[in-house]
C-alpha cells in the first residue's frame, strides 16, 4: 500500500472510519493483524489469484520470502456482507445450487472475442405452458349419446325373434320389441328384417303373421311401413328365390292372414302385382284366402275390393280365355264364374240349337245366384243374336254389301222368336236387366255395322 499511495507504515496511520474503510481491529470482525481471516472457508480463491498476478495490493513486510499471510486484502469477507434471503424474490432456478453470497455479488467478467457482441443478460425463463391436445373421450361420449346403430338395433330384434321361434308368448315378444325402442328412421329396416326372417320356413311364417298382427293392433306398426317392407321383398323376389326356395308361397301364406285380419286390404296387396309382377303371386294369395277363410268369405272380399284380375296378367295374356284357364287350374273359377260364360254358351248353342236344350244347359251349369248378373244377361243376349244372325242375314253365303231379301229377314225373326222364352225366363219383368239386353243388342248391331264397313273397305282396296 505504501508503495502505491506513499503512505506511512500501516501501524502508524489509521484510515479513519466510514463506508468502505476496513477496520484493523481484530476483535470486531475476528481478523488477525495481517488483515484477513485464517479461515480457509472465507477466502476467495479467484480474487486472491488476481492479487497475486497483479501485485497491485501486495506489500512485503521485510520478509525475504513473503507468504500469502503477509498480503493485505482489501476485499471484505463474507461475514462482513449482509445476509439476504433470496427465497421468494429470486426464481427457483436461481435459488438452486451451493452459491455463496460473494459468488453471487462478485462475478468475474469474461473477456469477449473481438467483433462479438456481449451476450445479453440471462432472463428468468418461465416454465413453458403445456397445451394438451383435445382428448378423444369427448368425441367418444358424443357418439355414445347418439344411441345404438342400425345394426345394433337389428341384432336386438334378431334376439327377440329367436325368443318368438322358441315358443315365447306373442304378447311378451311384443313387449320385448317395444323395449328395443327402434327409431322411426330404422323402422322400415326392422319390418323388412322381420319379413326376411319369417319367410325362411313355414313354421316361422305362422309366428311372423301373429307378431305383425299384434304389433298392428297395438299401434306399434303402421300400414305404410309394413307395405314398404312388403314391396321391398317383392322387388327382391328373384334374388330371394335363390336363398329361400319357397319364398313366393311363404309370402302368400304370410299375407293371407294379414288380409283376413284387416291389417292389409286386398287392394293394397294386389297393387304391386299389377302387370304380371311376380306372377303367379296373386293366385297364391287368393288360394291361401280360399283355404283359410272359405269360398263365401273370399267371394265377398273379392267383390267388395273391385280388384280387376285381368290387370294382374302380363299384357300379352290379358284375355278372358287365359284368365279363365288360370282360375280353373287354381280352383278359383267361382271368383269370375261368368268369365268364360259367353264361350261356353256359344259352344252349347252351336252343338244343339234347340231352345229347350240350351235352357237346360244354363240351368244345370250356372248357379242361380248368377242368373240376374249383368254379365250373364249380356252374354246370353249376345250369343242368341249372334247365332240367329249367322243362320240368316249374316250367313256365310250372304252378300253383306246389299240389303238382305225379305225372306231372309223373315227367317231371322222366326229364329229369334224361338229363343224368346229363354230370354223371358231370365229377363222377367226386371227393367234393369231389360236395359242390359237392349244395350247388348245395340252393341251387337254396332259390331255388325263395323264388320260390314271393314269388308267394304277391303273390297274397294282390291278393286
Amino acid at each position: 500500500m505504501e508503495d502505491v499511495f506513499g503512505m506511512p507504515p500501516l501501524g502508524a496511520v489509521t484510515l479513519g472510519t466510514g463506508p468502505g474503510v476496513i477496520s484493523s481491529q481484530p476483535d470486531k470482525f475476528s481478523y488477525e493483524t495481517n488483515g484477513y481471516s485464517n479461515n480457509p472457508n472465507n477466502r476467495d480463491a479467484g480474487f486472491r489469484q488476481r492479487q497475486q498476478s497483479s501485485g497491485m495490493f501486495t506489500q512485503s513486510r521485510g520478509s525475504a520470502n513473503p507468504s500469502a499471510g503477509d498480503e493485505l486484502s482489501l476485499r471484505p469477507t463474507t461475514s462482513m456482507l449482509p445476509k439476504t434471503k433470496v427465497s421468494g424474490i429470486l426464481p427457483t432456478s436461481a435459488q438452486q445450487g451451493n452459491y455463496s453470497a460473494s459468488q453471487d455479488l462478485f462475478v468475474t467478467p469474461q473477456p469477449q472475442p473481438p467483433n462479438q457482441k456481449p451476450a445479453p443478460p440471462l432472463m428468468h425463463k418461465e416454465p413453458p405452458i403445456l397445451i394438451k391436445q383435445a382428448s378423444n373421450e369427448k368425441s367418444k361420449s358424443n357418439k355414445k349419446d347418439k344411441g345404438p346403430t342400425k345394426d345394433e338395433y337389428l341384432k336386438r330384434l334378431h334376439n327377440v325373434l329367436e325368443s318368438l321361434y322358441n315358443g315365447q308368448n306373442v304378447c311378451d315378444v311384443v313387449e320385448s320389441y317395444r323395449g328395443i325402442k327402434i327409431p322411426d328412421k330404422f323402422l322400415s329396416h326392422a319390418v323388412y328384417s322381420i319379413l326376411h326372417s319369417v319367410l325362411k320356413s313355414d313354421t316361422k311364417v305362422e309366428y311372423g303373421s301373429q307378431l305383425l298382427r299384434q304389433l298392428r293392433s297395438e299401434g306399434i306398426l303402421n300400414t305404410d311401413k309394413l307395405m314398404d317392407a312388403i314391396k321391398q321383398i317383392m322387388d327382391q323376389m328373384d334374388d330371394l328365390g335363390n336363398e329361400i326356395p319357397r319364398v313366393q308361397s311363404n309370402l302368400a301364406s304370410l299375407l293371407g292372414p294379414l288380409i283376413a285380419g284387416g291389417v292389409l286390404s286386398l287392394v293394397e296387396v294386389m297393387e304391386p302385382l299389377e302387370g304380371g309382377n311376380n306372377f303367379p303371386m296373386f293366385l297364391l294369395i287368393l288360394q291361401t284366402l280360399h283355404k283359410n277363410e272359405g269360398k263365401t268369405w273370399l267371394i265377398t272380399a273379392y267383390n267388395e275390393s273391385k280388384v280387376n284380375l285381368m290387370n294382374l296378367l302380363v299384357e300379352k295374356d290379358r284375355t278372358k280365355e287365359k284368365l279363365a284357364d288360370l282360375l280353373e287350374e287354381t280352383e278359383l273359377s267361382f271368383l269370375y264364374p261368368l268369365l268364360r260364360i259367353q264361350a261356353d254358351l256359344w259352344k252349347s248353342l252351336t252343338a244343339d240349337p234347340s231352345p229347350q236344350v240350351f235352357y237346360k244347359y244354363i240351368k244345370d251349369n250356372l248357379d242361380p245366384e248368377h242368373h240376374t248378373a249383368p254379365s250373364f244377361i249380356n252374354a246370353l243376349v249376345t250369343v242368341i243374336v249372334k247365332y240367329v244372325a249367322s243362320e240368316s242375314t249374316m250367313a256365310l253365303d250372304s252378300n253383306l254389301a246389299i240389303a238382305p231379301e225379305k225372306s231372309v229377314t223373315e227367317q231371322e225373326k222366326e229364329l229369334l222368336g224361338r229363343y224368346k222364352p229363354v230370354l223371358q225366363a231370365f229377363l222377367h219383368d226386371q227393367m234393369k236387366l231389360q236395359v242390359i239386353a237392349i244395350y247388348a243388342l245395340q252393341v251387337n248391331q254396332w259390331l255388325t255395322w263395323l264388320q260390314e264397313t271393314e269388308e267394304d273397305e277391303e273390297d274397294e282396296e282390291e278393286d
Side-chain angles (χ1 to χ4, degrees):
M1 294 289 290
E2 291 89 343
D3 296 338
V4 178
F5 300 102
M7 296 177 63
L10 185 62
V13 180
T14 62
L15 297 177
T17 61
V21 177
I22 301 175
S23 173
S24 61
Q25 298 179 4
D27 60 339
K28 188 174 183 178
F29 293 108
S30 300
Y31 271 70
E32 293 182 355
T33 56
N34 55 6
Y36 68 95
S37 172
N38 288 328
N39 188 354
N41 295 330
N42 292 331
R43 297 173 183 174
D44 189 346
F47 186 72
R48 185 178 63 253
Q49 185 177 6
R50 291 193 303 273
Q51 285 181 320
Q52 291 176 354
S53 60
S54 60
M56 293 179 62
F57 296 96
T58 303
Q59 179 182 8
S60 176
R61 298 194 178 190
S63 172
N65 203 7
S67 63
D70 297 330
E71 295 176 356
L72 176 64
S73 175
L74 297 181
R75 179 173 181 173
T77 63
T78 55
S79 60
M80 298 174 58
L81 298 176
K83 295 182 180 180
T84 305
K85 294 182 179 181
V86 297
S87 61
I89 298 176
L90 297 178
T92 306
S93 59
Q95 298 179 20
Q96 297 177 353
N98 295 325
Y99 296 98
S100 64
S102 60
Q103 289 175 322
D104 293 337
L105 295 177
F106 297 92
V107 178
T108 305
Q110 298 295 328
Q112 297 293 333
N115 299 327
Q116 180 174 348
K117 296 181 180 180
L122 295 177
M123 302 297 292
H124 171 63
K125 187 176 183 181
E126 295 292 337
I129 300 175
L130 299 179
I131 301 177
K132 296 183 178 180
Q133 294 182 352
S135 175
N136 293 330
E137 295 181 357
K138 186 175 182 180
S139 59
K140 292 181 180 179
S141 63
N142 291 337
K143 292 182 179 179
K144 293 181 180 179
D145 295 338
K146 294 180 180 179
T149 63
K150 181 186 71 175
D151 292 337
E152 291 172 341
Y153 279 117
L154 296 181
K155 184 176 181 180
R156 297 178 187 179
L157 176 60
H158 174 76
N159 296 333
V160 172
L161 293 176
E162 288 297 324
S163 64
L164 175 66
Y165 303 150
N166 292 330
Q168 187 175 4
N169 183 273
V170 176
C171 294
D172 295 337
V173 173
V174 170
E175 289 303 317
S176 299
Y177 177 88
R178 193 196 305 270
I180 300 177
K181 298 181 179 179
I182 301 176
D184 290 340
K185 61 181 179 180
F186 297 144
L187 193 54
S188 296
H189 299 281
V191 181
Y192 174 85
S193 297
I194 294 175
L195 296 179
H196 185 272
S197 177
V198 302
L199 290 176
K200 294 181 178 180
S201 69
D202 297 341
T203 305
K204 291 182 178 181
V205 165
E206 183 178 356
Y207 285 125
S209 176
Q210 296 176 5
L211 175 62
L212 292 173
R213 280 184 291 177
Q214 191 68 24
L215 291 173
R216 182 69 186 94
S217 64
E218 297 191 18
I220 302 176
L221 178 64
N222 60 53
T223 304
D224 293 338
K225 295 294 184 181
L226 179 57
M227 278 306 306
D228 288 343
I230 292 173
K231 291 178 181 179
Q232 190 175 358
I233 290 289
M234 289 182 175
D235 292 340
Q236 300 175 357
M237 194 66 71
D238 293 338
D239 295 334
L240 292 175
N242 299 327
E243 178 185 356
I244 307 172
R246 301 182 67 251
V247 62
Q248 282 198 351
S249 298
N250 291 344
L251 181 58
S253 300
L254 177 68
L255 296 178
L258 296 180
I259 296 172
V263 177
L264 299 172
S265 68
L266 193 61
V267 176
E268 289 175 324
V269 174
M270 294 300 179
E271 185 269 333
L273 302 176
E274 291 184 355
N277 290 332
N278 295 312
F279 179 84
M281 173 65 69
F282 81 94
L283 293 172
L284 296 175
I285 296 173
L286 294 175
Q287 282 182 310
T288 301
L289 292 171
H290 181 208
K291 178 182 177 180
N292 296 342
E293 307 302 327
K295 178 179 178 180
T296 303
W297 184 94
L298 181 55
I299 290 175
T300 302
Y302 171 73
N303 291 335
E304 291 177 352
S305 68
K306 307 297 182 182
V307 171
N308 188 345
L309 296 180
M310 195 72 70
N311 292 338
L312 300 175
L313 299 176
V314 181
E315 188 173 359
K316 65 182 181 64
D317 293 334
R318 290 180 186 175
T319 63
K320 292 182 179 180
E321 291 76 13
K322 179 64 176 179
L323 180 57
D325 291 340
L326 292 173
L327 294 178
E328 186 175 351
E329 291 173 2
T330 55
E331 299 181 352
L332 295 171
S333 298
F334 59 86
L335 291 177
Y336 214 150
L338 305 178
L339 182 61
R340 62 166 68 243
I341 190 64
Q342 185 170 330
D344 293 340
L345 291 176
W346 177 256
K347 185 185 297 185
S348 174
L349 188 58
T350 54
D352 189 344
S354 169
Q356 292 79 13
V357 175
F358 184 55
Y359 177 77
K360 185 177 184 301
Y361 172 83
I362 296 173
K363 297 290 288 185
D364 294 343
N365 293 277
L366 189 64
D367 292 338
E369 62 184 32
H370 300 306
H371 290 175
T372 57
S375 56
F376 166 68
I377 299 299
N378 191 355
L380 177 63
V381 173
T382 300
V383 167
I384 292 175
V385 171
K386 180 180 179 180
Y387 175 76
V388 170
S390 67
E391 294 294 326
S392 57
T393 57
M394 297 186 66
L396 294 177
D397 57 351
S398 62
N399 187 0
L400 299 179
I402 61 177
E405 297 179 358
K406 185 176 182 180
S407 60
V408 177
T409 56
E410 291 294 335
Q411 182 184 4
E412 184 181 52
K413 290 179 181 179
E414 182 184 354
L415 289 174
L416 188 58
R418 291 170 58 184
Y419 293 98
K420 183 177 180 180
V422 178
L423 293 173
Q424 288 179 343
F426 295 102
L427 292 177
H428 307 291
D429 295 330
Q430 299 185 34
M431 183 63 65
K432 180 180 179 180
L433 298 180
Q434 293 176 4
V435 171
I436 294 173
I438 296 173
Y439 176 77
L441 287 172
Q442 291 176 350
V443 171
N444 186 71
Q445 291 176 354
W446 181 80
L447 292 175
T448 301
W449 173 83
L450 182 61
Q451 182 179 359
E452 292 175 354
T453 304
E454 291 177 352
E455 292 177 354
D456 293 340
E457 290 177 352
E458 291 177 357
D459 294 340
E460 292 177 357
E461 290 177 358
E462 292 178 357
D463 296 340

